[in-house]
Amino acid sequence: MGGEVCGRMGGGLCRRIAKSWSNMQKGLNDAVSKSFIGKYFKLEARKSCFTKELRAGTATFLTMAYIITVNATILSDSGGTCSVADCTPPAANQTATPDCMFKPNAGYQNCLSKTKSDLIVATVLSAMIGSIAMGVLANLPLALAPAMGANAYLAYNIVGFHGSGNVSYQTALAVVLVEGCAFFAISAIGLRAKLSKLIPRPVRLASAAGIGLFIAFVGLQVQQGVGLVGPDSSTLVTITACANTNPETGECNGGKLQSPKFWIGVVGFMITSFGSMKEIKGSMIYGILFVTLISWFRGTSVTNFPDTPLGDNNYNYFKKVVDFHKIKSTAGAISFRNFNTSEVWVALATLFYVDVLSITGTMHTMAEIGGFANDEGGFEGEYLAYLVDAGSTVMASTLGVSTVATYVESSAGLREGGRTGLTAVIVGLYFFISLFFIPLFSSVPPWAIGPSLVMVGVMMMKVVKDINWENMKDAAPAFVTMLLMPLTYSIANGIIGGIGLYIALSLYDFAVGSIRWLIKMRRRVVEEQNQVSATVGVDPTHEAV
């Protein structure tokens, strides 16, 4: 097509346009490279240029922009700072009961809607500040944002769906704050990489896969995703995607696999899968965007704005398109009340463990891909990079979101040639621009986000190939870790189960090794005693001869 156009217009014209564009790029790149910005980010030293860094930053942002709505949706499932007090009472002279948080209630749903908008802004700010800090301070092309896995653990395990757990959202944020401070401390004194090696390797690998299964399971459920999986009184879970669902229990009332929202979500998943298969940048965004655009039309069976008071309110906010939303409920909502409980300490240890493993491992992987790693396993800017992502977690907790991490999607920018911190700064600027489109981001429905959660699970499963399945000492703990996370709806249970089984299996080897060592030592003692006895029993005259 391009050749035909050039043929009609004249090959000379096309060549002049291409040469003019090339000269303009070269002039821009030379000007930036010689400027303060170019020298600060070492563009020439790292054999990069401005246009290459711009292309890399754009690619990274497109592949990770899904986190803006996905993270806010997951965290808002915890109920955030909403409580029974926000529920609309059933009658004028009555008070709302705790079950109003789990049934359709206009007041509570309105509070959740506002909380989600707050969390979207908090997510964007965390990603923006973290990415820019990584670029400016560490000069690395690594983008940061609230981590998948840690957000699910906070929402569904620590706080529980709509606050059904034993820890409030405010206390959970205090846990994230303390964990971030501890993470910063071990990063500052250089213990971070050493601690990651204390966890058994099969459990480390299985944790990533187990978290992926957990996230995918969330994306398949009725409340948080496409609605393929729902509760069943006999089998606990079953296939649903029903045309009619019990609003209180979530059980199917009839018409399995007949939900139009489920099928439109399947189309979105196919778009994402096909794009990933063809290595199209931003394929996850395209899947979310397709489903979302269709769901924005009113009067359809898949609309995100039904003809209800809440739907009308959400639609009116959506029509603003551009709006700067101020965080009202989650910023600074940190409370150390009831902090000294067993649930809090388990949560603190688990978040710390996940941070040490996943974030440190991801950063080293990105360094390998980008060619920054040295022969000793370190990389340039490593110390400051550790401090930046740990400090970003502290900052994120004050805004109301969970742990911030270096994203594997940074590899998209590395493949485009990003080699300096300018890539990360550009990603941060893209997040800044998105701050002004909160009405659009807050109107993304769960059935658009569910497919992306399943795809995140797919990507996190690839580590299982590195587990030694032939060795049962490795295979059994790894399998238990992965199995317990989705089935017990707890990331912590999977980690504890895997480590516990690994230690138990190791005790056998330790016991056998100890017995063999004792037997060996006993033989040595006996041999030495025999030698001493033989020496004592020898006749001195014979010795002289």
Side-chain angles (χ1 to χ4, degrees):
M1 180 66 182
E4 294 176 2
V5 173
C6 279
R8 290 195 296 267
M9 296 178 62
L13 178 60
C14 282
R15 283 194 295 271
R16 285 196 298 273
I17 293 174
K19 186 176 180 180
S20 176
W21 173 250
S22 177
N23 289 336
M24 186 174 67
Q25 272 192 316
K26 187 177 184 303
L28 176 63
N29 288 331
D30 288 343
V32 175
S33 295
K34 294 176 182 178
S35 68
F36 170 77
I37 293 176
K39 293 177 181 177
Y40 181 85
F41 289 107
K42 303 179 181 178
L43 289 177
E44 290 184 349
R46 296 191 182 180
K47 299 178 181 180
S48 186
C49 60
F50 174 73
T51 54
K52 190 181 290 185
E53 297 291 313
L54 177 61
R55 189 167 63 247
T58 303
T60 299
F61 176 76
L62 285 175
T63 56
M64 66 180 292
Y66 70 90
I67 194 61
I68 297 174
T69 51
V70 170
N71 184 63
T73 300
I74 290 176
L75 291 178
S76 61
D77 279 341
S78 69
T81 56
C82 298
S83 65
V84 180
D86 297 296
C87 292
T88 302
N93 297 325
Q94 294 182 351
T95 57
T97 55
D99 62 348
C100 71
M101 298 188 296
F102 307 100
K103 298 178 180 179
N105 184 282
Y108 191 76
Q109 292 298 322
N110 186 50
C111 180
L112 285 180
S113 179
K114 294 178 181 178
T115 298
K116 183 177 178 181
S117 295
D118 286 352
L119 291 170
I120 288 174
V121 176
T123 300
V124 171
L125 285 175
S126 298
M128 179 189 76
I129 297 172
S131 297
I132 292 176
M134 179 65 76
V136 173
L137 298 179
N139 196 19
L140 290 172
L142 306 179
L144 277 67
M148 293 295 293
N151 55 4
Y153 178 63
L154 185 147
Y156 305 118
N157 295 159
I158 302 178
V159 182
F161 181 70
H162 286 187
S164 57
N166 296 321
V167 180
S168 68
Y169 195 81
Q170 292 87 336
T171 303
L173 291 180
V175 171
V176 176
L177 174 63
V178 173
E179 184 269 338
C181 291
F183 202 40
F184 188 89
I186 66 165
S187 299
I189 62 178
L191 280 178
R192 181 168 171 173
K194 295 179 181 179
L195 283 177
S196 65
K197 297 177 182 178
L198 295 178
I199 306 299
R201 185 172 183 272
V203 178
R204 289 204 307 266
L205 296 172
S207 292
I211 292 173
L213 288 173
F214 181 87
I215 291 172
F217 184 48
V218 170
L220 292 174
Q221 292 180 50
V222 177
Q223 298 280 2
Q224 300 95 338
V226 295
L228 178 62
V229 176
D232 183 84
S233 56
S234 301
T235 60
L236 299 182
V237 292
T238 186
I239 287 180
T240 52
C242 305
N244 297 305
T245 305
N246 187 321
E248 295 187 8
T249 64
E251 291 189 68
C252 187
N253 288 335
K256 287 189 175 182
L257 296 179
Q258 293 183 19
S259 169
K261 294 177 180 178
F262 163 72
W263 288 110
I264 196 66
V266 169
V267 175
F269 181 74
M270 294 304 297
I271 292 173
T272 298
S273 300
F274 182 80
S276 300
M277 183 176 69
K278 296 298 181 181
E279 297 184 352
I280 299 173
K281 296 177 181 63
S283 56
M284 196 174 294
I285 292 296
Y286 301 143
I288 294 175
L289 191 61
F290 171 79
V291 179
T292 300
L293 288 176
I294 293 178
S295 301
W296 280 347
F297 289 99
R298 303 199 77 177
T300 67
S301 57
V302 295
T303 183
N304 192 40
F305 307 112
D307 294 322
T308 62
L310 180 61
D312 294 338
N313 184 55
N314 291 339
Y315 185 67
N316 290 332
Y317 182 60
F318 160 75
K319 288 191 297 183
K320 290 184 177 181
V321 180
V322 178
D323 181 49
F324 184 81
H325 179 85
K326 295 181 180 179
I327 304 177
K328 299 177 181 178
S329 63
T330 61
I334 296 174
S335 173
F336 287 92
R337 183 179 298 176
N338 301 323
F339 193 84
N340 194 21
T341 62
S342 59
E343 292 86 358
V344 166
W345 292 111
V346 169
L348 182 59
T350 303
L351 279 177
F352 185 78
Y353 160 79
V354 171
D355 261 4
V356 169
L357 289 187
S358 63
I359 301 178
T360 306
T362 299
M363 200 171 288
H364 277 275
T365 301
M366 293 303 102
E368 291 284 349
I369 294 174
F372 308 128
N374 54 36
D375 295 335
E376 289 75 31
F379 54 91
E380 184 181 352
E382 180 179 11
Y383 182 74
L384 285 174
Y386 285 161
L387 295 181
V388 167
D389 71 8
S392 297
T393 292
V394 175
M395 175 270 302
S397 67
T398 63
L399 293 174
V401 292
S402 54
T403 305
V404 170
T406 300
Y407 261 58
V408 294
E409 283 79 1
S410 299
S411 60
L414 293 174
R415 286 194 294 267
E416 288 294 327
R419 290 296 179 270
T420 75
L422 191 56
T423 294
V425 172
I426 291 169
V427 172
L429 293 177
Y430 276 124
F431 275 112
F432 172 74
I433 294 171
S434 66
L435 270 176
F436 301 95
F437 296 93
I438 301 303
L440 299 183
F441 286 116
S442 63
S443 300
V444 178
W447 52 92
I449 294 171
S452 66
L453 296 182
V454 176
M455 184 54 65
V456 169
V458 172
M459 293 187 293
M460 295 181 74
M461 285 298 294
K462 61 184 178 182
V463 297
V464 298
K465 71 180 186 301
D466 298 322
I467 298 173
N468 184 7
W469 295 104
E470 300 298 326
N471 182 359
M472 195 53 62
K473 182 181 176 182
D474 288 354
F479 182 73
V480 167
T481 300
M482 291 187 290
L483 188 69
L484 288 181
M485 286 186 183
L487 293 188
T488 65
Y489 220 70
S490 171
I491 294 171
N493 287 347
I495 294 171
I496 294 170
I499 293 177
L501 181 57
Y502 187 87
I503 293 174
L505 294 177
S506 298
L507 286 176
Y508 172 78
D509 291 338
F510 177 76
V512 171
S514 299
I515 292 172
R516 288 175 179 174
W517 181 80
L518 289 173
I519 292 173
K520 186 176 180 180
M521 291 300 296
R522 185 177 181 281
R523 286 176 179 173
R524 284 186 179 180
V525 170
V526 170
E527 288 175 0
E528 290 178 1
Q529 288 178 343
N530 291 337
Q531 289 177 359
V532 171
S533 299
T535 303
V536 173
V538 172
D539 193 331
T541 58
H542 288 193
E543 267 191 63
V545 175

